[in-house]
Amino acid sequence: MKALSLEIRDITVGYDRADVLSGVSLTANAGEITCLLGANGSGKSTLARAILGLTPPRSGTIRLDGRDIAGLAVHKIVGLGIGAIPEGRRVFPKLTVTENLRTGAYLVRDAALVATRMTEVFRVFPRLEERAGQLAGTLSGGEQAMLSIGRGLMGSPGLLIIDEPSLGLSPKFVKENFQVIRRINEAGVSVLLVEQNVHQTLEVAHRGYVLSGGRVVAEGTAEELKRHPELVAAYFGNHGG
Amino acid sequence: MDLALIAQHLVNGAMLGVIYALVAVGFTLFFGVLDVIKFSHGDVVMLGAFTALATSAGLVGSGSALPPAIVLAAMFIAAVGGMAVFGALMAKFLVLPLRKAPTLNVLLITLMAGTVIREAVRLFYPQGSNPKPFPRLLPTGAWEIGEFTLRYDSTILLVTGVVAIVLVHLVITRTRLGLAIRAVAQDPETASAMGIPFHGTVLATFAIGSALAALAGVVNGLYYSEVSFNMGLLLGAIGFSAAVIGGLGNVYGAILGGFIFAALQTIGAVLLPIASAYKDVFAFAAVILLMAWKPGGLLAERSADRV
Ligand SMILES: Nc1ncnc2c1ncn2[C@@H]1O[C@H](COP(=O)(O)OP(=O)(O)O)[C@@H](O)[C@H]1O
Ligand SMILES: [Mg+2]
């Protein structure tokens, strides 16, 4: 699938009563890595959920390659070419590695194509092939992260939404993950990368946004964000990301 | 006790086990995908049996001398197909709209739905209050093996039930729909983020569970040659107990639970030969003890990794 663009205009999103995001706009250009930075609780995951339709926005528009998707059922939105790598990995613990990958290709009805994609995922993550028949719940955290990424790729998405892939992983794994994300993008997939790991994220991202308290407080190219006063104060000052 | 009698008990116990397992699998599937207990499930068993009964009455009453095999096939198809549709409709209009409601409300509403189904059959089926004879359409002969006789009809019913259980296993473990059912049971949100349609999967699950209930109802009717509007009460209670014994949400637990309950009843009947009416009391008491020993069921699992 070709790289997809995403254009979010002025959305308001909330769970029960209070709005978590208010008046958020964001553009992810086709073929780029767009990152979404921000402290814990600033609303990054809520934005990812709003795009997928898991927490539909109360107002505003979300356009995928020009088509308004706000209000569609989750599986319909995903079917338009979005791959999801959810926060906390969320592999299906009682499905095997292979079955987990199959869920990622649920909308692909061509069995040969599913097999080809699985081979590709195994090429990127040989560890998964070694564990192919194992239940996902028995994998290590790093392996579950690989599985979650692999599963998100199985549908051959035009836009990949990745929510904190490095959370809870060892520094070595984190570094590998960022390299994998860069390679996925170079293969022609737009990426929306939600992260707290500012330094490494801005190394791979083209553009980015910073959320705080449910609002966009900074945006620009990765180079601009590296010099942005808010970010420098919040992240680069005391605890370097 | 002589060998022939023991064998008789074994066949009877296996027959009951198959029927209970078919009912229990529905309970456990519904709980797996939606975390609900659908208390009208027993009455769907009954409605399935009455659908088959009405089908045979219609075919035989029309005067055409159809061979029994055709009538039987029509009965099974009408009951299983009819209840699959009925189950999906109940899921769509009764259970799914209550998805955000407290579990207790779902319980109450399905309980009432069960009463409505039961009373509707009692009131609207001709002489619905009385037990109805179920047509004996299966071959009546038997194999004589020494002292032991194995009736054709029991064998056919047993094989039918076992084949259905094996089919369920294959659907759940080998098909795309089965993958969707298991993924939704484990994590509905992530499943939908993978493109698995939540509503469609739930409807399909309720269709499968209700089709199995109908099958249980028809097998039960053919085995006892009688059905009644309230047969779903006991079968529902037993099916639910069986699902809980096995560990709600676990398909194999439900099958195991069905056979355990049948074994308990059979043991009860053997131990209390004069008062075999107490076999249900014995079986349910044993279930209570079993639950005190293993509160989560025999194949208990954390709620995160069901089905
Ligand atoms: N499922 C939920 N129900 C209610 N509130 C939630 C839910 N998920 C997140 N929130 C609230 O929304 C806010 C933003 O959370 P989140 O989007 O997860 O932030 P981030 O991903 O940036 O850490 C937090 O205040 C959080 O408490
Ligand atoms: Mg988050």
Side-chain angles (χ1 to χ4, degrees):
Chain A
M1 161 157 289
K2 73 175 175 66
L4 298 174
S5 67
L6 181 74
E7 200 183 323
I8 300 175
R9 281 292 157 265
D10 207 21
I11 57 165
T12 300
V13 189
Y15 293 92
D16 294 317
R17 250 156 277 144
D19 290 339
V20 172
L21 300 178
S22 29
V24 169
S25 298
L26 173 152
T27 302
N29 294 323
E32 290 188 356
I33 298 181
T34 307
C35 68
L36 189 56
L37 301 166
N40 232 335
S42 57
K44 304 182 298 297
S45 297
T46 303
L47 184 59
R49 294 172 56 88
I51 300 165
L52 292 168
L54 290 169
T55 311
R58 293 190 172 134
S59 62
T61 57
I62 302 179
R63 291 183 182 281
L64 186 68
D65 248 27
R67 173 174 177 183
D68 192 355
I69 58 169
L72 290 183
V74 182
H75 69 275
K76 291 269 164 60
I77 294 176
V78 174
L80 293 173
I82 298 184
I85 299 169
E87 182 172 34
R89 313 189 231 298
R90 304 278 283 263
V91 296
F92 300 106
K94 276 266 168 165
L95 299 186
T96 64
V97 167
T98 311
E99 287 171 335
N100 264 280
L101 291 175
R102 273 187 209 294
T103 63
Y106 186 78
L107 296 169
V108 184
R109 286 184 173 271
D110 180 350
L113 193 53
V114 175
T116 313
R117 300 238 178 105
M118 204 173 292
T119 315
E120 284 166 15
V121 169
F122 286 154
R123 197 177 309 135
V124 181
F125 301 113
R127 265 298 254 294
L128 292 182
E129 187 163 24
E130 292 165 25
R131 306 249 187 274
Q134 215 167 304
L135 294 184
T138 66
L139 300 180
S140 73
E143 289 164 346
Q144 291 191 1
M146 295 174 194
L147 181 54
S148 185
I149 295 174
R151 187 180 61 176
L153 291 173
M154 284 295 291
S156 184
L159 169 68
L160 196 59
I161 299 178
I162 315 180
D163 196 346
E164 299 215 30
S166 52
L167 200 71
L169 296 186
S170 68
K172 181 173 157 286
F173 261 128
V174 173
K175 209 165 162 217
E176 277 175 26
N177 263 345
F178 275 104
Q179 280 163 6
V180 168
I181 291 165
R182 190 197 294 253
R183 266 185 279 144
I184 292 168
N185 171 249
E186 282 165 1
V189 182
S190 317
V191 175
L192 180 64
L193 177 60
V194 174
E195 261 295 352
Q196 293 202 47
N197 200 326
V198 177
H199 278 295
Q200 296 188 66
T201 304
L202 289 179
E203 284 309 312
V204 298
H206 298 94
R207 296 181 65 257
Y209 291 78
V210 182
L211 277 185
S212 175
R215 291 174 188 280
V216 174
V217 293
E219 63 174 283
T221 64
E223 289 308 315
E224 286 166 354
L225 286 177
K226 281 180 193 167
R227 295 190 301 267
H228 197 282
E230 291 248 4
L231 266 188
V232 172
Y235 298 102
F236 294 82
N238 330 333
H239 55 96
Chain B
M1 195 174 6
D2 62 288
L3 229 68
L5 196 58
I6 292 175
Q8 211 69 60
H9 277 304
L10 276 178
V11 172
N12 186 52
M15 196 64 240
L16 293 177
V18 163
I19 294 173
Y20 301 160
L22 288 173
V23 182
V25 166
F27 273 111
T28 224
L29 280 177
F30 305 156
F31 184 79
V33 292
L34 269 189
D35 283 2
V36 298
I37 309 295
K38 183 167 161 277
F39 261 120
S40 51
H41 193 50
D43 296 295
V44 174
V45 176
M46 179 275 296
L47 193 59
F50 272 81
T51 305
L53 185 62
T55 306
S56 87
L59 288 177
V60 174
S62 67
S64 56
L66 289 168
I70 303 285
V71 178
L72 259 178
M75 286 163 70
F76 270 106
I77 291 168
V80 169
M83 288 309 104
V85 173
F86 184 71
L89 290 176
M90 279 187 75
K92 188 168 173 64
F93 295 109
L94 209 65
V95 186
L96 275 175
L98 290 169
R99 190 152 179 250
K100 301 257 148 59
T103 319
L104 214 55
N105 295 16
V106 181
L107 220 94
L108 192 64
I109 284 176
T110 58
L111 201 65
M112 292 190 291
T115 311
V116 169
I117 297 171
R118 200 156 58 241
E119 288 303 306
V121 168
R122 189 168 77 88
L123 295 171
F124 299 123
Y125 201 88
Q127 280 110 50
S129 305
N130 303 328
K132 320 287 296 175
F134 207 79
R136 295 167 191 269
L137 292 169
L138 292 169
T140 46
W143 286 290
E144 306 278 342
I145 308 155
E147 281 178 79
F148 173 61
T149 57
L150 184 60
R151 290 164 45 159
Y152 295 155
D153 53 358
S154 310
T155 313
I156 292 170
L157 290 176
L158 209 52
V159 170
T160 306
V162 170
V163 166
I165 289 172
V166 171
L167 275 179
V168 172
H169 162 76
L170 291 177
V171 166
I172 296 222
T173 54
R174 302 282 164 83
T175 67
R176 193 162 166 269
L177 174 62
L179 185 68
I181 291 174
R182 286 184 292 154
V184 167
Q186 289 176 42
D187 185 344
E189 201 166 72
T190 305
S192 59
M194 296 304 130
I196 297 172
F198 176 76
H199 279 229
T201 305
V202 167
L203 297 194
T205 308
F206 274 70
I208 293 175
S210 305
L212 293 174
L215 189 68
V218 181
V219 167
N220 190 80
L222 288 168
Y223 190 61
Y224 290 111
S225 303
E226 188 182 278
V227 292
S228 73
F229 76 97
N230 60 4
M231 66 190 271
L233 282 175
L234 187 60
L235 277 171
I238 291 175
F240 179 54
S241 309
V244 174
I245 293 172
L248 258 184
N250 185 313
V251 172
Y252 305 105
I255 296 166
L256 179 70
F259 282 96
I260 288 179
F261 197 95
L264 287 171
Q265 271 185 329
T266 308
I267 292 168
V270 172
L271 291 183
L272 313 162
I274 331 155
S276 67
Y278 288 105
K279 67 181 196 301
D280 291 342
V281 177
F282 174 83
F284 278 115
V287 168
I288 292 170
L289 291 180
L290 210 60
M291 293 322 294
W293 171 52
K294 287 231 166 189
L298 293 177
L299 304 187
E301 296 174 44
R302 281 173 296 118
S303 63
D305 32 51
R306 261 190 250 116
V307 172

